Amino acid sequence: MSADYLNQLNDQQRDAVEYLDGPQLVIAGAGSGKTRVLTYKIVHLLARGYEPSRIMALTFTNKAAREMKERINAIAGNGISRRIWMGTFHSIFSRILRQNSDKIGYTSNYTIYDTTDSRSLIKNIIKDMGLDEKWYKPATVQNAISWAKNSLVSPTAYGADRQLVKSDSAAGRGRIVDIYQTYMMRCRLADAMDFDDLLYYTAFLFRDNPGILGHYREFFRYFLVDEFQDTNFAQNVIVSQLAMPAGNVCVVGDDAQSIYSFRGANINNILDMERTYHGLKVFKLEQNYRSTRNITNASNSLIAHNNRRMHKEVFSTGDIGEPVEVQAGHSDYDEAGLVASRIVTRRAATGDSFNEFAILYRTNAQSRVLEEALRRRDIPYRIYGGQVFYQRKEVKDAVAYMRLSVNPRDDEALRRVINVPARGIGKTTLDRVVAAAMAANISIWDVLTDLANHDVNVNSGTANKLKKFVEMIQCFMGAAHNLNAEELTTLILNVSGLFAMYRSDSTPENVSKYENLEELVNGAHSFVEDHLEEGDTEHLSMADFLTEVSLATDMDEADDPDAERVTLMTIHASKGLEFANVFVVGVEEDLLPSSLSHDSEAAVEEERRLFYVAMTRAKKFCMLSYALSRYLNGQTMLCRPSRFFGDIDDKFLKYSYGAERTPFIIPKRPQQASSFAASRSTFTPPAPIKPATPAPSPADFAVHPASRLNVGMAIVHPKFGKGSILSMGDEGMGDFIIVDFAGEQRKLLLKYAKFRIL
């Protein structure tokens, strides 16, 4: 193999690739060629005579492994990558466990349970133990067991940990340890492992079988690990088991991009590596090949405010580029409109395809108002790593109830939610009801409302459950005649139990689902409010709202999968991706950083790393935006721009449309404690950051008579933002004005519309 491949690397990359004299940590800044270094490191090992079958390379995704294999084959040829032990942690360790399954009490043909299989088994165990699912939610129990396994805590050790048991008991789930014990036993009886077991059993296999560990240590001459900042406790233990004491290991990562603590990732694995590996050599990749100098420097100034980090000076030699743009919307609706408008003007100016535009947000619930803004301007989009708002399961469940309130004979809607949330109406019962409906050629609803005259063959207990379901739907049907879409949506979510199903469980998955249901209420509120302000009091019903929802859904489903589209995604999902133009929205206190992070400096620092990841996805253009108000929990809430704006050097920012040039007060930081643990215990959130010009409160907006208005007058609307009156008139409903809001014209009925005159 020719040594020409080394000439394709910069000096920092080449030094990292050539070093083979001991344990090695490569800190790879954003856009610095991390995958390139890993790939060329393996090529270099092959060139130095290392046998491919004796190299182990661990990744977090199959996609990363495939990409590296393709690059290696392109350089080394002959499909040599197939012989390397390269793949995800779980795939590689599963291979090792199958070779040694007898040592851990399994056969070599064991089954691997996915998340659904695992949760189903846990649900059955909870039922068999006679426990209440309201307290022992399968998702919550599953998360607790997953945490224990990834922390290498056995059921016995779990039960012996007084703090864990005390914490579970305080939460009303004192028998989690018993469920954990039973779950492990049932998996063994089924000759099955879940994903976490693949790490758990590998660590204990090596600990309890020195001969087996010695074999793999001797067999593998070199170990490589990608994205090391994302490893959890178990993964770190296994890597150190294999690589010690020889130290023939190279790990690559970036502490500044450690954003997955909620999945168990431990940033200390990378920060404390020097304590684990004697003689560790640290290499830094600091040249950013992705972003302009302004974006790179702005991101650097942000992350520099983290105390717990590895110092590096990321730089770019590319174009200076535009400053990072900052915009403020009067509301989340206005903010979404600003983003959509900026995409249109930016695309016209640059010629970039829609595929080069991405909108990043902290939570999935933020997508709804953004989707609406894009649809209003006919901008095609896709949700990366998820579904468009109205296609999410919890939203579809809610919409199914809403459909039944208008049309109880909607069989598909009824099938979907007759047992959601669970109310003891199982598949067998539903099948009997459906069979009776088909036999009589009527709807399922017709059978449910006349059970006595149909051969459904259910016992009195089940019949009573069906009766209660019918009474609930009839309640919704009656309310539909008197309530508008927002009021009825709120009633349905509360009475059906959908709100309660997700509100009582604080797992990240359920918090996101609850937020999406709240956003559905917000959508209904906006629908009613818009129609009232436009003088339309006749189309506020649930049927009218469902028409709008179905049109949005049809548009989503009809989208051409091969068409150019703007990408919408959470910041977490964006890691590893890049776009020419990036819009980071909702950069506000309680969103970014999250309200859940305020009590911990470590959590705030992770939120800052998350913001850093968002900004460094941008190659040419980055816009940060926030709203001065959001509609939450049935009321308009004032918002504060994020404290993180105060961390970014002002010379790399450009403020426009409502954002002040110097609107942010840099928070006074707590004095550095003597240790990180001490600094966590003494941390207090900085003083709230406020715009130089305070956000208008709801009281600042009022109804104005036509006599106070004139054509050309500038106004501010709490939702649509700044606008100019184009014309005035009157009709049967009263006086109205036509207003231009940043290119979008709106008709406002003066008896309902509230705004402020500038």
Side-chain angles (χ1 to χ4, degrees):
M1 182 185 301
S2 170
D4 289 347
Y5 63 90
L6 293 173
N7 296 327
Q8 300 175 37
L9 305 170
N10 67 30
D11 291 343
Q12 289 181 327
Q13 293 171 338
R14 181 165 182 159
D15 288 345
V17 165
E18 290 188 301
Y19 183 77
L20 299 175
D21 297 329
Q24 172 184 14
L25 168 60
V26 180
I27 299 296
S32 64
K34 170 183 66 67
T35 303
R36 186 181 187 85
V37 166
L38 268 177
T39 302
Y40 280 68
K41 184 83 174 180
I42 294 173
V43 171
H44 187 61
L45 288 168
L46 297 173
R48 292 289 298 271
Y50 283 69
E51 299 174 50
S53 61
R54 300 181 71 177
I55 298 172
M56 180 185 290
L58 299 169
T59 67
F60 272 85
T61 65
N62 290 312
K63 178 183 177 182
R66 284 195 302 270
E67 182 180 348
M68 288 172 60
K69 287 179 180 179
E70 290 170 359
R71 293 191 185 188
I72 291 168
N73 287 335
I75 301 170
N78 301 323
I80 199 168
S81 67
R82 290 197 300 268
R83 297 164 57 197
I84 300 170
W85 280 55
M86 181 184 295
T88 64
F89 283 87
H90 294 93
S91 65
I92 295 298
F93 296 155
S94 174
R95 187 174 172 183
I96 289 175
L97 288 177
R98 289 196 189 278
Q99 293 177 347
N100 302 277
S101 56
D102 58 314
K103 300 296 190 299
I104 54 173
Y106 279 83
T107 74
S108 60
N109 295 318
Y110 62 78
T111 299
I112 298 177
Y113 281 170
D114 63 16
T115 301
T116 303
D117 297 326
S118 171
R119 189 169 298 180
S120 177
L121 174 55
I122 290 170
K123 185 173 184 177
N124 288 332
I125 292 171
I126 292 170
K127 182 178 179 181
D128 293 344
M129 293 175 69
L131 301 175
D132 189 344
E133 270 198 36
K134 292 181 180 178
W135 292 99
Y136 292 88
K137 292 184 179 295
T140 302
V141 176
Q142 184 178 40
N143 285 349
I145 293 174
S146 177
W147 172 88
K149 290 182 180 181
N150 286 317
S151 300
L152 302 182
V153 176
S154 67
T156 301
Y158 195 107
D161 190 314
R162 293 182 180 179
Q163 189 59 43
L164 282 176
V165 174
K166 182 179 178 180
S167 177
D168 286 343
S169 297
R173 295 186 285 268
R175 297 196 64 190
I176 279 185
V177 63
D178 300 321
I179 300 172
Y180 184 15
Q181 181 76 51
T182 304
Y183 176 77
M184 294 289 277
M185 179 189 70
R186 294 275 290 270
C187 283
R188 279 189 175 276
L189 290 174
D191 198 26
M193 294 187 197
D194 61 27
F195 288 124
D196 297 321
D197 284 328
L198 299 176
L199 304 177
Y200 178 89
Y201 283 119
T202 299
F204 284 109
L205 171 72
F206 289 159
R207 187 198 69 176
D208 299 335
N209 298 273
I212 293 175
L213 175 58
H215 164 74
Y216 286 108
R217 281 177 172 174
E218 183 178 346
F219 179 78
F220 289 106
R221 293 188 60 199
Y222 210 87
F223 301 93
L224 303 99
V225 186
D226 189 17
E227 303 284 13
F228 195 69
Q229 78 280 347
D230 294 335
T231 54
N232 60 31
F233 179 77
Q235 289 164 327
N236 187 42
V237 165
I238 297 168
V239 171
S240 63
Q241 285 175 322
L242 289 167
M244 298 285 278
N248 50 345
V249 61
C250 171
V251 306
V252 180
D254 182 8
D255 59 294
Q257 297 186 63
S258 179
I259 59 174
Y260 294 122
S261 64
F262 67 95
R263 295 182 187 170
N266 187 349
I267 191 174
N268 293 323
N269 292 347
I270 194 168
L271 294 177
D272 296 338
M273 247 194 107
E274 289 181 279
R275 299 181 186 178
T276 305
Y277 296 92
H278 178 70
L280 179 76
K281 185 79 177 274
V282 179
F283 295 81
K284 297 177 181 179
L285 308 182
E286 297 172 305
Q287 183 170 354
N288 184 326
Y289 290 94
R290 174 188 302 151
S291 306
T292 64
R293 279 184 267 174
N294 267 325
I295 293 172
T296 300
N297 292 334
S299 305
N300 286 346
S301 65
L302 167 73
I303 203 63
H305 289 272
N306 270 12
N307 294 320
R308 184 78 163 139
R309 67 189 183 94
M310 303 189 78
H311 180 76
K312 59 180 178 295
E313 293 289 343
V314 178
F315 66 94
S316 171
T317 59
D319 294 338
I320 294 177
E322 304 171 53
V324 173
E325 195 168 303
V326 181
Q327 295 211 31
H330 286 272
S331 66
D332 50 345
Y333 182 97
D334 186 31
E335 178 194 27
L338 290 173
V339 170
S341 295
R342 195 68 180 91
I343 289 174
V344 171
T345 59
R346 178 77 187 169
R347 184 168 180 262
T350 64
D352 290 335
S353 75
F354 282 128
N355 292 334
E356 284 293 343
F357 289 81
I359 305 174
L360 310 182
Y361 37 79
R362 182 64 177 83
T363 68
N364 278 309
Q366 291 171 256
S367 79
R368 182 195 64 82
V369 67
L370 292 162
E371 291 180 54
E372 289 184 2
L374 295 176
R375 284 198 295 267
R376 286 197 305 272
R377 290 162 175 77
D378 294 322
I379 299 173
Y381 67 89
R382 65 168 182 148
I383 304 291
Y384 180 90
Q387 296 173 309
V388 294
F389 182 80
Y390 287 109
Q391 291 300 315
R392 293 169 187 159
K393 179 187 181 303
E394 62 278 8
V395 176
K396 287 177 72 70
D397 289 342
V399 170
Y401 275 112
M402 292 153 67
R403 285 161 53 183
L404 289 173
S405 73
V406 175
N407 174 21
R409 290 181 172 81
D410 184 337
D411 279 359
E412 291 307 308
L414 193 148
R415 285 172 184 261
R416 183 178 185 93
V417 297
I418 193 170
N419 199 40
V420 178
R423 50 178 59 92
I425 302 174
K427 182 178 182 300
T428 299
T429 298
L430 180 58
D431 287 346
R432 289 173 178 172
V433 173
V434 170
M438 293 179 66
N441 198 28
I442 56 178
S443 71
I444 297 174
W445 177 255
D446 290 329
V447 173
L448 293 177
T449 53
D450 191 19
L451 279 177
N453 292 317
H454 295 280
D455 184 19
V456 179
N457 190 26
V458 294
N459 60 38
S460 59
T462 300
N464 189 51
K465 293 172 184 175
L466 293 172
K467 179 183 176 183
K468 288 183 177 179
F469 175 77
V470 167
E471 290 173 346
M472 178 177 64
I473 301 302
Q474 288 174 333
C475 167
F476 298 157
M477 293 165 60
H481 295 296
N482 304 308
L483 303 181
N484 64 35
E486 178 190 3
E487 295 165 337
L488 184 53
T489 299
T490 303
L491 174 72
I492 287 173
L493 291 175
N494 281 306
V495 175
S496 69
L498 286 178
F499 259 156
M501 182 166 66
Y502 299 118
R503 185 190 292 125
S504 61
D505 194 334
S506 60
T507 61
E509 177 184 39
N510 281 346
V511 168
S512 177
K513 290 180 178 180
Y514 182 75
E515 289 174 344
N516 287 336
L517 292 181
E518 284 190 316
E519 189 59 30
L520 179 62
V521 177
N522 294 346
H525 168 81
S526 294
F527 170 83
V528 172
E529 188 178 61
D530 289 352
H531 279 261
L532 283 175
E533 287 199 340
E534 293 175 3
D536 181 2
T537 59
E538 297 181 0
H539 299 93
L540 308 178
S541 71
M542 179 61 74
D544 297 313
F545 180 54
L546 287 173
T547 297
E548 182 170 293
V549 169
S550 65
L551 291 175
T553 303
D554 286 345
M555 183 182 297
D556 298 333
E557 292 179 343
D559 193 24
D560 179 358
D562 297 321
E564 292 183 3
R565 292 174 290 178
V566 173
T567 299
L568 280 71
M569 69 177 84
T570 63
I571 303 173
H572 281 101
S574 74
K575 188 166 171 288
L577 303 177
E578 59 182 41
F579 302 87
N581 309 278
V582 170
F583 298 78
V584 188
V585 300
V587 188
E588 303 153 20
E589 287 294 300
D590 296 336
L591 265 180
L592 189 63
S594 163
S595 60
L596 301 176
S597 70
H598 295 339
D599 294 334
S600 163
E601 182 179 24
V604 170
E605 291 204 348
E606 176 153 337
E607 292 290 303
R608 189 178 284 109
R609 293 194 296 269
L610 189 63
F611 191 21
Y612 173 82
V613 166
M615 292 178 65
T616 55
R617 299 310 94 199
K619 294 189 285 187
K620 297 190 298 184
F621 173 82
C622 181
M623 186 179 111
L624 314 175
S625 65
Y626 60 93
L628 297 176
S629 68
R630 287 184 184 274
Y631 187 80
L632 298 169
N633 302 319
Q635 58 184 321
T636 299
M637 306 292 290
L638 298 184
C639 303
R640 296 171 295 164
S642 172
R643 68 186 73 183
F644 295 151
F645 280 112
D647 294 339
I648 304 174
D649 193 321
D650 192 60
K651 66 186 177 185
F652 304 121
L653 298 177
K654 172 187 175 183
Y655 298 94
S656 59
Y657 191 83
E660 299 285 346
R661 161 62 63 177
T662 55
F664 310 109
I665 301 170
I666 299 177
K668 182 178 180 181
R669 302 192 174 279
Q671 185 175 357
Q672 184 70 31
S674 58
S675 69
F676 182 57
S679 71
R680 283 190 62 177
S681 64
T682 60
F683 175 74
T684 56
I689 300 169
K690 300 178 180 178
T693 303
S697 72
D700 292 331
F701 299 101
V703 171
H704 298 278
S707 59
R708 291 196 58 196
L709 308 175
N710 55 69
V711 174
M713 178 178 282
I715 68 169
V716 175
H717 189 277
K719 181 176 181 181
F720 308 129
K722 293 180 181 178
S724 176
I725 299 177
L726 297 178
S727 62
M728 304 174 62
D730 65 87
E731 56 184 18
M733 293 294 295
D735 296 326
F736 68 88
I737 56 176
I738 303 296
V739 185
D740 177 23
F741 293 104
E744 184 177 354
Q745 293 186 14
R746 284 273 177 176
K747 176 183 177 182
L748 302 181
L749 192 67
L750 294 182
K751 67 163 60 175
Y752 293 112
K754 293 183 178 182
F755 52 88
R756 184 158 54 96
I757 299 173
L758 294 178

